[in-house]
Amino acid sequence: MKRVYNFSAGPSMLPEEVLRRAADEMMDYKGCGQSVMEMSHRSKIFQSIIDSAESLLREVMNIPDNYKVLFLQGGGSTQFAMIPFNLMTGSGKADYVLTGQWATKAYKEAARYGDAKAIASSKDKTFTYIPKLDPSTFTPDADYFYICMNNTIYGTKYHTLPATGSVPLVADISSCICSEPIDISKFGLVFAGAQKNLAPAGLTIVIVREDLVGHAMEKTPTMLNYKTHVDGGSMFNTPPCYTIYICELVLEWIKNTIGGLENMKALNEKKAKLLYDFLDSSKLFHGTVVPEDRSLMNVPFVTGSDDLNAKFVAQATDAGMVNLKGHRTVGGMRASIYNAMPYEGVETLVDFMKKFEKANG
Ligand SMILES: *Cc1c(COP(=O)(O)O)cnc(C)c1O
């Protein structure tokens, strides 16, 4: 068996330990004679899986009791509509910071349902930085204030949160969930598609403060109302059972093998530092993001020549490092180094970059 280092932005690598355990339990989950893929979501045994996934997430992320945890479908993208349907129902206003494609999509969707305002943007420099925010420009009676915390495509991250006062802060944490500790009490709602850091595709996690649930617009489709899923314990309809099971195993790995989010953060910082330090010293490769806003998870870089970029991606693939091609809007390369990417994977990449620079610099 040969496994590659997969630098994909998502779906992405899963911990080998989790894949082995899932393989072991594939034919007969804990003596019940069936796979988790096959069992009824109304069975006791599946209920114990989803309960365990929720309690592990609460423990690992230190989620306060006045927050609901939902396991939904529809990807991060469905949240772009669910958020305004459910939250844009007081003044009907919301502030958005445009830090890339995902934030812009969320903003455009919200503008269909209410008074969404783009209060800042970093589009002028291809989203290579997080804009400095001036609270005097914030809408004081907004129903919420929206950010994309880690910008998967452009490789930027908020290292300090905007001071929104009593306006609930809403964050897309799809590409940074469980990469480091965050203080959930600072947010009204966070959400994440699971396919970056927690599970295969098909699961979206929403963590929402209890008082924000139950005020949806009159015409909100039943499936897009958070209250439906709070009342149904995330089982109003058939949930993505197998993906929730893998999510449970990944959370166990974070808790027991890694030792929690402080350790996860230290490991992620060590991986990112190795790559950024090399980029800062290289004469051929350059990071595209201003140093103070760099992401721990997604690292875009370029050589300055499209031909060399293409040659690098092709040779890296042959050497067992796949999906290093950058997003089409940025060009160059991007290494996504999520939780499950081992330190050795980044070491292998940096060694390869050094050799490539010697041969082509
Ligand atoms: C991947 C991603 C999304 C989109 O998720 P889907 O599950 O494909 O809808 C949204 N936001 C961010 C930050 C992402 O990285």
Side-chain angles (χ1 to χ4, degrees):
M1 184 187 71
K2 176 175 163 278
R3 288 191 41 91
V4 294
Y5 290 118
N6 178 10
F7 293 90
S8 168
S12 41
M13 290 183 80
L14 287 163
E16 208 167 295
E17 183 185 309
V18 166
L19 294 175
R20 285 185 195 287
R21 170 117 176 250
D24 284 347
E25 294 179 339
M26 175 63 76
M27 299 301 287
D28 179 9
Y29 178 75
K30 295 188 176 169
C32 76
Q34 53 185 318
S35 162
V36 178
M37 288 190 195
E38 304 168 291
M39 60 181 58
S40 164
H41 62 292
R42 304 285 174 205
S43 61
K44 265 205 190 108
I45 191 137
F46 182 72
Q47 188 66 50
S48 75
I49 292 172
I50 193 169
D51 288 348
S52 159
E54 176 172 343
S55 71
L56 281 163
L57 190 72
R58 285 185 177 279
E59 183 183 347
V60 164
M61 290 186 76
N62 196 18
I63 300 170
D65 289 343
N66 62 324
Y67 285 74
K68 301 290 186 190
V69 172
L70 302 175
F71 295 106
L72 307 179
Q73 300 184 65
S77 300
T78 298
Q79 293 310 308
F80 301 164
M82 270 179 101
I83 288 161
F85 269 132
N86 285 271
L87 268 48
M88 220 182 197
T89 59
S91 65
K93 299 176 196 169
D95 287 341
Y96 279 73
V97 182
L98 307 190
T99 49
Q101 222 175 73
W102 296 119
T104 304
K105 281 185 173 167
Y107 161 69
K108 285 186 175 158
E109 189 71 7
R112 302 178 60 202
Y113 306 110
D115 185 2
K117 188 172 160 203
I119 60 146
S121 166
S122 48
K123 191 167 184 228
D124 59 336
K125 291 184 182 156
T126 329
F127 302 115
T128 49
Y129 68 103
I130 300 285
K132 296 276 173 292
L133 299 174
D134 171 5
S136 74
T137 63
F138 298 1
T139 306
D141 63 339
D143 289 327
Y144 61 90
F145 187 105
Y146 184 103
I147 61 169
C148 179
M149 190 130 150
N150 183 79
N151 294 279
T152 323
I153 295 174
Y154 302 96
T156 60
K157 197 208 134 185
Y158 284 81
H159 293 285
T160 47
L161 295 175
T164 63
S166 59
V167 174
L169 182 61
V170 169
D172 178 352
I173 60 167
S174 291
S175 51
C176 60
I177 188 170
C178 289
S179 62
E180 59 182 321
I182 62 168
D183 182 355
I184 290 292
S185 72
K186 296 226 153 66
F187 298 86
L189 182 152
V190 298
F191 70 91
Q195 70 271 27
K196 296 357 187 315
N197 245 347
L198 284 182
L203 170 66
T204 309
I205 289 173
V206 173
I207 303 168
V208 55
R209 215 175 62 206
E210 189 163 81
D211 60 287
L212 297 174
V213 178
H215 315 289
M217 293 175 191
E218 195 61 43
K219 284 196 175 149
T220 303
T222 306
M223 276 293 287
L224 298 192
N225 193 326
Y226 291 129
K227 188 161 192 310
T228 302
H229 302 287
V230 168
D231 292 348
S234 296
M235 290 217 254
F236 171 77
N237 71 324
T238 317
C241 302
Y242 196 77
T243 306
I244 291 170
Y245 157 68
I246 299 291
C247 183
E248 183 208 6
L249 298 187
V250 170
L251 289 165
E252 270 178 15
W253 171 80
I254 293 174
K255 182 185 162 189
N256 299 327
T257 304
I258 301 295
L261 290 190
E262 286 293 351
N263 289 1
M264 195 76 254
K265 178 184 185 187
L267 177 58
N268 286 329
E269 283 176 342
K270 189 174 159 211
K271 290 186 306 192
K273 185 175 189 314
L274 183 65
L275 184 48
Y276 284 125
D277 282 352
F278 172 68
L279 288 172
D280 290 342
S281 70
S282 169
K283 297 220 159 45
L284 179 64
F285 295 101
H286 306 283
T288 57
V289 170
V290 301
E292 63 270 24
D293 296 329
R294 283 170 166 174
S295 164
L296 283 181
M297 297 280 101
N298 310 97
V299 184
F301 56 94
V302 294
T303 62
S305 146
D306 287 345
D307 289 345
L308 273 186
N309 291 344
K311 185 174 173 188
F312 176 81
V313 170
Q315 290 188 359
T317 305
D318 291 341
M321 287 162 277
V322 303
N323 290 318
L324 278 162
K325 192 172 188 305
H327 191 271
R328 58 192 143 64
T329 59
V330 182
M333 281 71 69
R334 171 178 49 173
S336 294
I337 49 174
Y338 295 118
N339 285 353
M341 172 61 67
Y343 184 76
E344 297 70 41
V346 182
E347 259 180 343
T348 306
L349 173 63
V350 169
D351 287 346
F352 182 78
M353 289 167 79
K354 285 180 184 162
K355 277 194 208 127
F356 188 88
E357 179 162 354
K358 267 215 181 91
N360 299 276

